[in-house]
Short mmCIF file of all heavy atoms in Angstrom, two decimals:
data_model
loop_
_atom_site.label_atom_id
_atom_site.label_comp_id
_atom_site.label_asym_id
_atom_site.label_seq_id
_atom_site.Cartn_x
_atom_site.Cartn_y
_atom_site.Cartn_z
N ALA A 378 -34.52 22.49 -2.45
CA ALA A 378 -34.35 21.12 -1.95
C ALA A 378 -33.53 21.13 -0.67
O ALA A 378 -32.73 22.03 -0.44
CB ALA A 378 -33.63 20.26 -2.99
N GLU A 379 -33.73 20.10 0.16
CA GLU A 379 -32.87 19.90 1.32
C GLU A 379 -31.51 19.43 0.81
O GLU A 379 -31.35 19.12 -0.35
CB GLU A 379 -33.49 18.84 2.25
CG GLU A 379 -34.84 19.27 2.77
CD GLU A 379 -35.32 18.46 3.97
OE1 GLU A 379 -34.53 17.71 4.56
OE2 GLU A 379 -36.50 18.62 4.33
N SER A 380 -30.58 19.35 1.73
CA SER A 380 -29.21 18.92 1.43
C SER A 380 -28.34 20.06 0.91
O SER A 380 -28.80 21.21 0.78
CB SER A 380 -29.17 17.75 0.44
OG SER A 380 -27.91 17.10 0.55
N LEU A 381 -27.08 19.75 0.65
CA LEU A 381 -26.07 20.75 0.32
C LEU A 381 -24.83 20.04 -0.19
O LEU A 381 -24.72 18.83 -0.12
CB LEU A 381 -25.70 21.56 1.58
CG LEU A 381 -25.09 20.75 2.74
CD1 LEU A 381 -23.64 21.13 2.95
CD2 LEU A 381 -25.86 20.95 4.01
N GLY A 382 -23.89 20.85 -0.71
CA GLY A 382 -22.58 20.31 -1.01
C GLY A 382 -22.44 19.62 -2.36
O GLY A 382 -21.37 19.13 -2.69
N GLY A 383 -23.52 19.60 -3.15
CA GLY A 383 -23.42 18.99 -4.47
C GLY A 383 -22.97 20.01 -5.50
O GLY A 383 -22.89 21.21 -5.21
N VAL A 384 -22.71 19.54 -6.72
CA VAL A 384 -22.27 20.45 -7.78
C VAL A 384 -23.35 21.46 -8.15
O VAL A 384 -23.05 22.56 -8.61
CB VAL A 384 -21.82 19.67 -9.05
CG1 VAL A 384 -20.49 18.99 -8.82
CG2 VAL A 384 -22.89 18.66 -9.49
N GLU A 385 -24.61 21.09 -7.94
CA GLU A 385 -25.70 22.00 -8.31
C GLU A 385 -26.08 22.89 -7.13
O GLU A 385 -26.04 22.47 -5.99
CB GLU A 385 -26.93 21.25 -8.83
CG GLU A 385 -27.58 20.28 -7.86
CD GLU A 385 -26.75 19.02 -7.67
OE1 GLU A 385 -26.73 18.16 -8.57
OE2 GLU A 385 -26.10 18.91 -6.60
N SER A 386 -26.47 24.13 -7.42
CA SER A 386 -26.87 25.05 -6.38
C SER A 386 -28.25 24.70 -5.85
O SER A 386 -29.16 24.37 -6.63
CB SER A 386 -26.87 26.48 -6.93
OG SER A 386 -25.57 26.88 -7.23
N LEU A 387 -28.38 24.76 -4.53
CA LEU A 387 -29.66 24.47 -3.89
C LEU A 387 -30.06 25.61 -2.98
O LEU A 387 -29.21 26.32 -2.44
CB LEU A 387 -29.58 23.18 -3.04
CG LEU A 387 -29.19 21.88 -3.74
CD1 LEU A 387 -29.14 20.74 -2.72
CD2 LEU A 387 -30.17 21.54 -4.85
N ILE A 388 -31.38 25.79 -2.85
CA ILE A 388 -31.90 26.73 -1.86
C ILE A 388 -32.83 25.96 -0.94
O ILE A 388 -33.52 25.04 -1.37
CB ILE A 388 -32.58 27.94 -2.53
CG1 ILE A 388 -33.04 28.94 -1.48
CG2 ILE A 388 -33.74 27.52 -3.42
CD1 ILE A 388 -32.95 30.38 -1.94
N ASN A 389 -32.80 26.33 0.34
CA ASN A 389 -33.53 25.56 1.34
C ASN A 389 -34.17 26.53 2.33
O ASN A 389 -33.60 27.57 2.65
CB ASN A 389 -32.51 24.62 2.00
CG ASN A 389 -32.96 24.04 3.32
OD1 ASN A 389 -34.07 23.52 3.44
ND2 ASN A 389 -32.10 24.12 4.32
N HIS A 390 -35.38 26.18 2.79
CA HIS A 390 -36.06 26.96 3.83
C HIS A 390 -35.96 26.17 5.13
O HIS A 390 -36.79 25.29 5.39
CB HIS A 390 -37.53 27.20 3.43
CG HIS A 390 -38.26 28.07 4.40
ND1 HIS A 390 -39.33 27.61 5.15
CD2 HIS A 390 -38.06 29.36 4.76
CE1 HIS A 390 -39.75 28.60 5.93
NE2 HIS A 390 -39.01 29.66 5.71
N PRO A 391 -34.93 26.44 5.95
CA PRO A 391 -34.67 25.61 7.13
C PRO A 391 -35.89 25.46 8.05
O PRO A 391 -36.15 24.35 8.54
CB PRO A 391 -33.52 26.34 7.83
CG PRO A 391 -32.79 27.03 6.73
CD PRO A 391 -33.87 27.46 5.77
N ALA A 392 -36.63 26.55 8.27
CA ALA A 392 -37.72 26.48 9.25
C ALA A 392 -38.74 25.39 8.92
O ALA A 392 -39.30 24.77 9.83
CB ALA A 392 -38.41 27.84 9.36
N THR A 393 -38.99 25.15 7.63
CA THR A 393 -39.98 24.12 7.28
C THR A 393 -39.33 22.88 6.66
O THR A 393 -40.01 21.89 6.41
CB THR A 393 -41.02 24.66 6.27
OG1 THR A 393 -40.32 25.17 5.13
CG2 THR A 393 -41.87 25.74 6.89
N MET A 394 -38.01 22.94 6.39
CA MET A 394 -37.38 21.79 5.73
C MET A 394 -36.36 21.13 6.66
O MET A 394 -36.74 20.30 7.47
CB MET A 394 -36.77 22.23 4.39
CG MET A 394 -37.88 22.66 3.39
SD MET A 394 -37.31 23.56 1.94
CE MET A 394 -36.46 22.31 1.02
N THR A 395 -35.09 21.52 6.57
CA THR A 395 -34.06 20.81 7.34
C THR A 395 -34.21 20.94 8.86
O THR A 395 -33.74 20.09 9.60
CB THR A 395 -32.65 21.34 6.98
OG1 THR A 395 -32.70 22.75 6.93
CG2 THR A 395 -32.19 20.78 5.65
N HIS A 396 -34.82 22.04 9.34
CA HIS A 396 -34.86 22.28 10.78
C HIS A 396 -36.28 22.20 11.35
O HIS A 396 -36.54 22.64 12.46
CB HIS A 396 -34.24 23.64 11.12
CG HIS A 396 -32.75 23.66 10.93
ND1 HIS A 396 -32.15 23.37 9.74
CD2 HIS A 396 -31.73 23.90 11.80
CE1 HIS A 396 -30.83 23.45 9.86
NE2 HIS A 396 -30.56 23.76 11.11
N ALA A 397 -37.19 21.57 10.58
CA ALA A 397 -38.59 21.50 11.01
C ALA A 397 -38.75 20.70 12.31
O ALA A 397 -39.72 20.89 13.05
CB ALA A 397 -39.44 20.89 9.90
N SER A 398 -37.78 19.81 12.61
CA SER A 398 -37.91 18.97 13.81
C SER A 398 -37.50 19.72 15.08
O SER A 398 -37.60 19.18 16.17
CB SER A 398 -37.10 17.69 13.65
OG SER A 398 -35.77 17.99 13.28
N ILE A 399 -37.03 20.97 14.94
CA ILE A 399 -36.67 21.76 16.12
C ILE A 399 -37.85 22.66 16.46
O ILE A 399 -38.39 23.36 15.59
CB ILE A 399 -35.41 22.61 15.85
CG1 ILE A 399 -34.25 21.70 15.41
CG2 ILE A 399 -35.03 23.44 17.08
CD1 ILE A 399 -32.98 22.44 15.02
N PRO A 400 -38.31 22.65 17.75
CA PRO A 400 -39.45 23.50 18.11
C PRO A 400 -39.21 24.97 17.74
O PRO A 400 -38.08 25.45 17.84
CB PRO A 400 -39.55 23.34 19.63
CG PRO A 400 -38.77 22.11 19.97
CD PRO A 400 -37.78 21.89 18.88
N LYS A 401 -40.30 25.64 17.30
CA LYS A 401 -40.21 27.01 16.78
C LYS A 401 -39.44 27.95 17.71
O LYS A 401 -38.60 28.73 17.28
CB LYS A 401 -41.62 27.55 16.52
CG LYS A 401 -41.66 28.88 15.77
CD LYS A 401 -43.11 29.26 15.42
CE LYS A 401 -43.25 30.71 15.04
NZ LYS A 401 -42.84 31.04 13.68
N GLU A 402 -39.72 27.83 19.01
CA GLU A 402 -39.10 28.74 19.98
C GLU A 402 -37.58 28.54 20.02
O GLU A 402 -36.82 29.50 19.96
CB GLU A 402 -39.71 28.48 21.36
CG GLU A 402 -39.57 29.63 22.33
CD GLU A 402 -40.24 29.29 23.65
OE1 GLU A 402 -41.45 28.98 23.64
OE2 GLU A 402 -39.55 29.29 24.68
N GLU A 403 -37.17 27.28 20.09
CA GLU A 403 -35.74 26.93 20.10
C GLU A 403 -35.08 27.41 18.81
O GLU A 403 -33.98 27.95 18.81
CB GLU A 403 -35.57 25.40 20.13
CG GLU A 403 -36.08 24.72 21.37
CD GLU A 403 -35.07 24.77 22.50
OE1 GLU A 403 -33.88 24.59 22.21
OE2 GLU A 403 -35.48 25.05 23.64
N ARG A 404 -35.78 27.16 17.72
CA ARG A 404 -35.29 27.48 16.40
C ARG A 404 -35.03 28.99 16.28
O ARG A 404 -33.97 29.42 15.84
CB ARG A 404 -36.36 27.06 15.40
CG ARG A 404 -35.83 26.72 14.08
CD ARG A 404 -36.86 26.41 13.01
NE ARG A 404 -38.17 25.98 13.31
CZ ARG A 404 -39.26 26.71 13.08
NH1 ARG A 404 -39.15 27.94 12.63
NH2 ARG A 404 -40.45 26.22 13.33
N GLU A 405 -36.00 29.78 16.70
CA GLU A 405 -35.88 31.23 16.55
C GLU A 405 -34.83 31.80 17.47
O GLU A 405 -34.14 32.76 17.13
CB GLU A 405 -37.25 31.89 16.74
CG GLU A 405 -38.20 31.42 15.64
CD GLU A 405 -39.37 32.34 15.39
OE1 GLU A 405 -39.79 33.04 16.33
OE2 GLU A 405 -39.87 32.35 14.25
N LYS A 406 -34.66 31.17 18.64
CA LYS A 406 -33.59 31.59 19.56
C LYS A 406 -32.23 31.46 18.87
O LYS A 406 -31.33 32.25 19.08
CB LYS A 406 -33.62 30.70 20.83
CG LYS A 406 -33.83 31.51 22.06
CD LYS A 406 -33.82 30.79 23.41
CE LYS A 406 -33.54 29.35 23.47
NZ LYS A 406 -33.99 28.67 24.68
N ALA A 407 -32.11 30.42 18.04
CA ALA A 407 -30.85 30.19 17.32
C ALA A 407 -30.77 30.98 16.02
O ALA A 407 -29.85 30.81 15.24
CB ALA A 407 -30.68 28.70 17.06
N GLY A 408 -31.77 31.84 15.78
CA GLY A 408 -31.73 32.69 14.59
C GLY A 408 -32.37 32.09 13.35
O GLY A 408 -32.33 32.68 12.28
N VAL A 409 -32.94 30.88 13.49
CA VAL A 409 -33.55 30.23 12.32
C VAL A 409 -35.00 30.71 12.22
O VAL A 409 -35.95 30.01 12.57
CB VAL A 409 -33.47 28.69 12.42
CG1 VAL A 409 -33.92 28.04 11.12
CG2 VAL A 409 -32.04 28.26 12.73
N VAL A 410 -35.13 31.95 11.72
CA VAL A 410 -36.45 32.59 11.62
C VAL A 410 -37.14 32.15 10.32
O VAL A 410 -36.51 31.57 9.43
CB VAL A 410 -36.30 34.13 11.67
CG1 VAL A 410 -35.91 34.57 13.06
CG2 VAL A 410 -35.27 34.61 10.66
N ASP A 411 -38.44 32.46 10.23
CA ASP A 411 -39.23 32.03 9.07
C ASP A 411 -38.76 32.68 7.76
O ASP A 411 -38.99 32.14 6.69
CB ASP A 411 -40.71 32.34 9.28
CG ASP A 411 -41.37 31.35 10.23
OD1 ASP A 411 -40.73 30.31 10.55
OD2 ASP A 411 -42.50 31.61 10.67
N ASN A 412 -38.13 33.89 7.86
CA ASN A 412 -37.68 34.58 6.65
C ASN A 412 -36.19 34.34 6.35
O ASN A 412 -35.55 35.14 5.69
CB ASN A 412 -37.99 36.08 6.71
CG ASN A 412 -37.60 36.73 8.03
OD1 ASN A 412 -37.61 36.08 9.07
ND2 ASN A 412 -37.24 37.99 8.00
N LEU A 413 -35.65 33.23 6.87
CA LEU A 413 -34.26 32.85 6.57
C LEU A 413 -34.23 31.77 5.48
O LEU A 413 -35.02 30.82 5.51
CB LEU A 413 -33.57 32.33 7.84
CG LEU A 413 -32.10 31.91 7.69
CD1 LEU A 413 -31.28 32.34 8.91
CD2 LEU A 413 -31.95 30.40 7.52
N LEU A 414 -33.36 31.97 4.51
CA LEU A 414 -33.15 30.97 3.45
C LEU A 414 -31.67 30.60 3.43
O LEU A 414 -30.80 31.44 3.67
CB LEU A 414 -33.54 31.54 2.08
CG LEU A 414 -35.05 31.78 1.86
CD1 LEU A 414 -35.26 32.61 0.60
CD2 LEU A 414 -35.81 30.46 1.77
N ARG A 415 -31.40 29.33 3.16
CA ARG A 415 -30.01 28.87 3.11
C ARG A 415 -29.64 28.49 1.68
O ARG A 415 -30.40 27.78 1.02
CB ARG A 415 -29.85 27.65 4.03
CG ARG A 415 -28.41 27.23 4.22
CD ARG A 415 -28.33 25.90 4.94
NE ARG A 415 -28.65 24.80 4.05
CZ ARG A 415 -28.78 23.53 4.43
NH1 ARG A 415 -28.65 23.21 5.69
NH2 ARG A 415 -29.06 22.58 3.55
N LEU A 416 -28.49 28.99 1.24
CA LEU A 416 -28.02 28.66 -0.11
C LEU A 416 -26.84 27.70 -0.02
O LEU A 416 -25.92 27.91 0.75
CB LEU A 416 -27.53 29.91 -0.84
CG LEU A 416 -28.44 31.14 -0.88
CD1 LEU A 416 -27.72 32.28 -1.61
CD2 LEU A 416 -29.73 30.82 -1.59
N SER A 417 -26.89 26.65 -0.82
CA SER A 417 -25.70 25.85 -1.05
C SER A 417 -25.25 26.22 -2.46
O SER A 417 -25.87 25.83 -3.46
CB SER A 417 -26.03 24.35 -0.97
OG SER A 417 -24.92 23.60 -1.40
N VAL A 418 -24.20 27.03 -2.52
CA VAL A 418 -23.76 27.54 -3.81
C VAL A 418 -22.98 26.43 -4.53
O VAL A 418 -22.00 25.90 -4.01
CB VAL A 418 -22.87 28.79 -3.63
CG1 VAL A 418 -22.33 29.28 -4.95
CG2 VAL A 418 -23.65 29.89 -2.92
N GLY A 419 -23.43 26.10 -5.73
CA GLY A 419 -22.82 25.02 -6.49
C GLY A 419 -21.64 25.51 -7.33
O GLY A 419 -21.07 26.57 -7.06
#
Side-chain angles (χ1 to χ4, degrees):
E379 299 196 12
S380 200
L381 62 112
V384 287
E385 61 287 285
S386 293
L387 300 179
I388 183 146
N389 163 49
H390 183 245
T393 55
M394 294 166 70
T395 45
H396 289 58
S398 52
I399 303 176
K401 189 174 164 79
E402 201 179 303
E403 295 277 319
R404 207 185 337 113
E405 296 202 332
K406 239 183 3 200
V409 189
V410 289
D411 283 349
N412 47 329
L413 180 140
L414 291 168
R415 189 189 76 186
L416 309 178
S417 171
V418 176

